Amino acid sequence: MSRFLEDTDVISIMVLLSPERLAALTQLTGSERTAIELHQEALRIGTNLMNVIAYVELALRNTVSENLTAFFGTSSWLTHPPAPFQWRPSDNSKIGTALANARRAEYAKMSQAEKAALDAQAFPHGRPPNISHLQRARNRQQQIMVSEGKVIAEMTFHFWKRIYSSDYEQILWRTTLKRTFPNKNINRAQVAKNFEHIYQARNRLAHHEPVLYKRFLNTITAIEFVIQNLGVVSSRPDTPLAKLISSDLEQVSTSAQALHERLDSFRV
């Protein structure tokens, strides 16, 4: 696409994307135009990689949800886990944020009449004078009942990797989560390490930063670990999840290899 850009377009795009962001590519290639082109290709690869990670995240959260529902004996294991189990304070805070986000999303779908009807519950003794519109909305939202599934959907990848951390090894991994990776040769630390690679890549991609070279290889290796081991007693490349994303994974790997080779050609 950049080959059709006029010189004035290149100058404008350098400003829009920021010279600092493109500095390394510009220095490597000696061309602002080529730097823009390589930057765009890196973003396209990142978008495709993010889609692959999305499949992994969906499969993980649903597998964990099924596992913990059976373990705790309740579908409300996230927001109301049975005693004596307690989430770590930082994780409990994340759950509260997810609940608030789920309520906010439901509130946004309501009509004005439905929103106003919540005032009776939010302000049983009458709405206080001079209450701000924002606070009124927050009080209303707290009255909304949302399903556990909607709260689970709001939880970030950080939470899903956190429950495989050493903080939950005794109370969750050894008691039940080991069943999500039933291969006897796999331990919790291996699972946590691979999730960390995926999480770090996801964070970079979410902030429009490239995931290339070692980061990319670590991410692909971690994804392959998950899709070949999640829910199966022996590692294999033809699990249902692996079959689902194999073509996407191959495509993004091929594109990344081509970009790496092109970048390396400027270093010769």
Side-chain angles (χ1 to χ4, degrees):
M1 180 182 297
S2 61
R3 72 176 68 121
F4 302 112
L5 296 175
E6 302 291 341
D7 290 343
T8 54
D9 295 328
V10 171
I11 294 172
S12 296
I13 290 173
M14 287 295 294
V15 173
L16 291 171
L17 298 180
S18 91
E20 181 180 4
R21 181 178 178 85
L22 296 171
L25 286 173
T26 302
Q27 182 177 3
L28 175 66
T29 64
S31 165
E32 293 179 341
R33 183 183 296 271
T34 303
I36 292 170
E37 183 179 331
L38 293 173
H39 174 269
Q40 296 305 95
E41 182 59 25
L43 281 184
R44 280 191 288 271
I45 291 171
T47 298
N48 292 335
L49 180 57
M50 194 67 151
N51 289 338
V52 171
I53 291 175
Y55 286 119
V56 173
E57 185 173 354
L58 286 169
L60 175 63
R61 83 180 188 199
N62 289 326
T63 299
V64 169
S65 180
E66 182 179 352
N67 178 277
L68 294 186
T69 295
F71 175 67
F72 286 120
T74 174
S75 60
S76 300
W77 58 268
L78 182 65
T79 55
H80 298 93
F85 178 86
Q86 289 184 325
W87 297 109
R88 295 292 189 269
S90 61
D91 299 318
N92 202 46
S93 175
K94 294 288 194 306
I95 294 169
T97 299
L99 175 58
N101 289 340
R103 285 171 168 165
R104 189 178 302 112
E106 290 301 304
Y107 185 74
K109 300 175 186 176
M110 291 181 171
S111 66
Q112 289 301 319
E114 289 172 327
K115 291 177 180 178
L118 292 171
D119 280 349
Q121 298 169 267
F123 309 104
H125 303 295
R127 179 155 47 95
N130 302 320
I131 188 172
S132 69
H133 176 77
L134 178 60
Q135 188 58 53
R136 183 184 182 189
R138 286 174 176 169
N139 284 28
R140 287 172 168 180
Q141 290 165 24
Q142 290 174 2
Q143 312 309 312
I144 298 174
M145 299 294 293
V146 293
S147 70
E148 194 79 359
K150 290 185 182 297
V151 183
I152 289 173
E154 291 288 341
M155 297 304 297
T156 65
F157 195 94
H158 180 272
F159 176 80
W160 303 116
K161 74 155 183 115
R162 268 283 297 152
I163 62 176
Y164 286 91
S165 72
S166 58
D167 282 348
Y168 293 107
E169 177 154 15
Q170 297 299 326
I171 197 168
L172 286 183
W173 172 258
R174 292 184 182 277
T175 56
T176 186
L177 282 181
K178 180 67 180 78
R179 297 184 180 92
T180 62
F181 287 89
N183 188 329
K184 293 181 180 180
N185 296 318
I186 291 176
N187 59 42
R188 182 207 57 77
Q190 288 175 279
V191 177
K193 179 181 177 180
N194 282 284
F195 282 150
E196 184 64 26
H197 283 309
I198 298 173
Y199 170 72
Q200 293 295 336
R202 190 188 187 285
N203 268 10
R204 286 186 63 84
L205 294 171
H207 290 89
H208 316 302
E209 295 297 327
V211 173
L212 299 172
Y213 290 108
K214 185 177 180 180
R215 282 196 185 99
F216 181 85
L217 292 176
N218 285 342
T219 304
I220 295 300
T221 300
I223 289 172
E224 289 175 341
F225 171 87
V226 175
I227 66 178
Q228 292 176 12
N229 290 288
L230 184 64
V232 294
V233 295
S234 60
S235 179
R236 49 183 239 258
D238 63 342
T239 66
L241 181 57
K243 290 178 180 179
L244 176 67
I245 68 174
S246 60
S247 61
D248 296 300
L249 198 58
E250 182 179 356
Q251 181 181 12
V252 73
S253 295
T254 300
S255 298
Q257 181 179 351
L259 179 58
H260 292 156
E261 289 175 354
R262 188 172 180 196
L263 289 168
D264 290 342
S265 71
F266 291 102
R267 297 189 173 95
V268 176

